[in-house]
Structure formats: C-alpha cells, structure tokens
Amino acid sequence: ISAFDAGTIDALTTSWRGFGDLQLTSTHFNTFECQQNRFTYVGINTRLNAFDTAKERRALWNSIDAKKITQDIMLGKGIVATSPVREDVYFNSPEADESPVLTDDKNTQTSDETTKECKILYNQDSKTKSRIAAALKQQLESKGYLVTLDGQSSAMYADKVLVGDYELYVGEVQMTGSCDLSFMFSSPTGGFCNYDDEEFRALVTNLDMVVGEKEKEIAWENLEKYYANSAVQIPLFFTNRACFVNRRIMGSLKPNLSNFFYGFDDMFVKHS
C-alpha cells in the first residue's frame, strides 16, 4: 500500500485487503471494479436470552446505521444492504422499501428500561472488521446499550463463530451468483446466527427451488418479510473487488466476475 502511494508500483488489488484496510493517500490512480457479492453483516446468537425474541433483535437492528458505517469505513465502495441479497438481483424488486425493518419497536431504550449489555466478537486481524466493531459499539452505546468488544485472531474468531461462542459478531460471507442462502444453516447448532425454524428453512428452500421471474419475486418477497420481521441477522453492506492502477498506465481494465484482469494485457505506458 505504501509503495503504491509512493508510485513505485503501478497496480494494487483488493484481493488481499478490503477497501476499508487500504487508506490510500494518493489520488493519482484509476479504479476498476467488478461485482464480488461479499456480504458483511452482524450475526446474532438468537439462542441467548438477551436476543431470543424478534422484538429485541429488531430494536437492535434499528439502532444500527448501516449506511453511515458503509460511507465512513468502506470509502464509498460498499453497497448498503437491507438483506442478504443485493437489490440489483433480478428478483429483488427495485420498488421494495429501502428499509424493511418493522417500525413497531422503539429503537432507543427508555429510562425505565434495564440497560442491555452485549459483546461483539470480531476478527482483530482485519483492520476493516476492527473499525466496523468500533463503529457498532459507538452507535449502540448512543442508543443505550452497554457494549464490550471481543477482538480475536482469525483462527480463534472462526472457532468461536463455529461453536456459537458469541453474542454478536461481525461476519462476512461470499454469496454465490444464485444467491444461495444455505450458509445460514451450515452449522448443526442451527445456522451461523444460531437461528432455525421450519418456516424460515422452507422459505429459503422455496427461493432456491422456484423458477420463473414472477415466482422468484414472490418467493423472495415472502422470505424478505420474514427475515426482517424475525431479524435473524443485521445486514450491513456488500463489497466489490477492485484494482487500482496508476494514471500513467494507459488503457482500460474491463473486469468481470470470471476474469478480474480482463483487458490488462492491452494496457501500456506511453513512451516518448
């Protein structure tokens, strides 16, 4: 990153660092992006008493400003998420409400309520995840929560998530092109958020099984309403892949999902 800032190397990609980790100071580069469909979210351990009701989880969701986190941390390169499926997927209707969270719950705690305590697990080896965790703590505490941060190494973080040893955690998953949501049920303890019931599983299965655009839209609308009402996790943003190229390099990349460096062989340095 420092070498790219200094101009001693001419290309830098996000294959090894997220946008939030780069913190580039130079502006003498062009950015080329393609969709990556990586989904960042806040996982909730719904088996704990603190968050075992949908009302408590919806209040938690309403206390988090995903748009501000995306703008402040992702350098404007994240796409704010309202669900685990991007809004530009063909069956996710663009007319849908930008905020599907139900508004029947207060999003701040009143003075006569007991202060809610929560601990946020995150991967401290990632600068981006560390910054997200700090932002979540600030936002939640402004709404009356008492928050403790639990930063762990990559290996320990993964182990704790796998066995459900968390209250909340900053998670990230690579969504497939078909928007397969099976990752939510990949743990025998009930899914990444320790949440499972027959209705939710049936809705996820139905989304994968139905064919036809209209049928897909209806299946997704039903699932999205259930997802928001139950607040099984809190969506934050999607990120794309990117390549930064020094402006002295002429030509243009045309990255896509199958070949991120498509067009790179046609780039050149003007020689006088």
Side-chain angles (χ1 to χ4, degrees):
I1 295 173
S2 298
F4 182 78
D5 264 337
T8 58
I9 62 173
D10 293 311
L12 181 70
T13 78
T14 57
S15 60
W16 61 286
R17 282 290 187 273
F19 276 110
D21 289 353
L22 294 179
Q23 295 183 313
L24 295 170
T25 60
S26 170
T27 58
H28 301 291
F29 60 85
N30 293 316
T31 307
F32 303 92
E33 297 181 51
C34 73
Q35 291 185 7
Q36 184 188 32
N37 213 20
R38 289 196 72 84
F39 174 51
T40 299
Y41 60 94
V42 178
I44 307 173
N45 192 338
T46 60
R47 297 193 174 192
L48 297 181
N49 291 336
F51 303 110
D52 61 354
T53 70
K55 182 177 181 179
E56 291 167 330
R57 298 192 297 271
R58 286 196 301 268
L60 187 71
W61 186 343
N62 280 326
S63 297
I64 293 175
D65 187 344
K67 183 176 181 179
K68 179 172 175 53
I69 290 175
T70 304
Q71 291 175 336
D72 292 351
I73 297 177
M74 301 310 295
L75 308 180
K77 299 301 182 180
I79 299 172
V80 179
T82 57
S83 74
V85 174
R86 287 173 60 131
E87 290 185 353
D88 52 6
V89 173
Y90 75 91
F91 57 78
N92 193 347
S93 172
E95 287 79 26
D97 185 355
E98 290 185 358
S99 178
V101 185
L102 300 186
T103 57
D104 59 345
D105 304 317
K106 293 184 180 297
N107 58 10
T108 56
Q109 297 190 56
T110 59
S111 58
D112 60 344
E113 289 181 307
T114 303
T115 300
K116 184 80 69 177
E117 298 183 17
C118 59
K119 180 184 292 186
I120 302 175
L121 172 68
Y122 68 96
N123 178 5
Q124 66 181 9
D125 294 337
S126 167
K127 186 181 295 184
T128 299
K129 300 303 186 298
S130 299
R131 295 177 66 196
I132 292 172
L136 290 170
K137 175 180 172 67
Q138 182 180 41
Q139 289 186 2
L140 289 173
E141 288 189 337
S142 72
K143 300 297 185 180
Y145 290 86
L146 182 60
V147 181
T148 303
L149 296 183
D150 182 16
Q152 299 289 338
S153 66
S154 297
M156 182 60 70
Y157 162 84
D159 287 344
K160 289 171 78 72
V161 170
L162 185 63
V163 300
D165 184 14
Y166 62 86
E167 294 180 2
L168 307 173
Y169 77 96
V170 181
E172 181 181 69
V173 64
Q174 175 65 56
M175 301 294 290
T176 65
S178 60
C179 300
D180 178 13
L181 300 180
S182 61
F183 78 93
M184 304 187 78
F185 306 115
S186 60
S187 168
T189 58
F192 273 42
C193 299
N194 277 333
Y195 180 89
D196 200 0
D197 65 35
E198 291 184 4
E199 183 179 1
F200 189 48
R201 188 177 286 271
L203 289 168
V204 171
T205 302
N206 187 50
L207 179 65
D208 186 49
M209 296 295 292
V210 297
V211 294
E213 184 170 348
K214 188 61 179 179
E215 290 76 9
K216 205 80 165 178
E217 287 180 0
I218 294 173
W220 171 245
E221 183 179 355
N222 292 334
L223 174 57
E224 187 174 39
K225 287 180 179 178
Y226 188 93
Y227 176 88
N229 186 53
S230 299
V232 298
Q233 62 184 190
I234 301 172
L236 295 178
F237 54 80
F238 294 95
T239 54
N240 293 336
R241 293 181 67 184
C243 182
F244 306 97
V245 179
N246 192 303
R247 287 180 181 170
R248 77 186 191 93
I249 307 296
M250 312 299 292
S252 178
L253 280 176
K254 302 175 182 64
N256 55 59
L257 285 175
S258 60
N259 183 0
F260 182 59
F261 294 101
Y262 180 72
F264 202 88
D265 53 340
D266 293 326
M267 302 183 80
F268 62 94
V269 178
K270 187 176 290 188
H271 179 66
S272 58

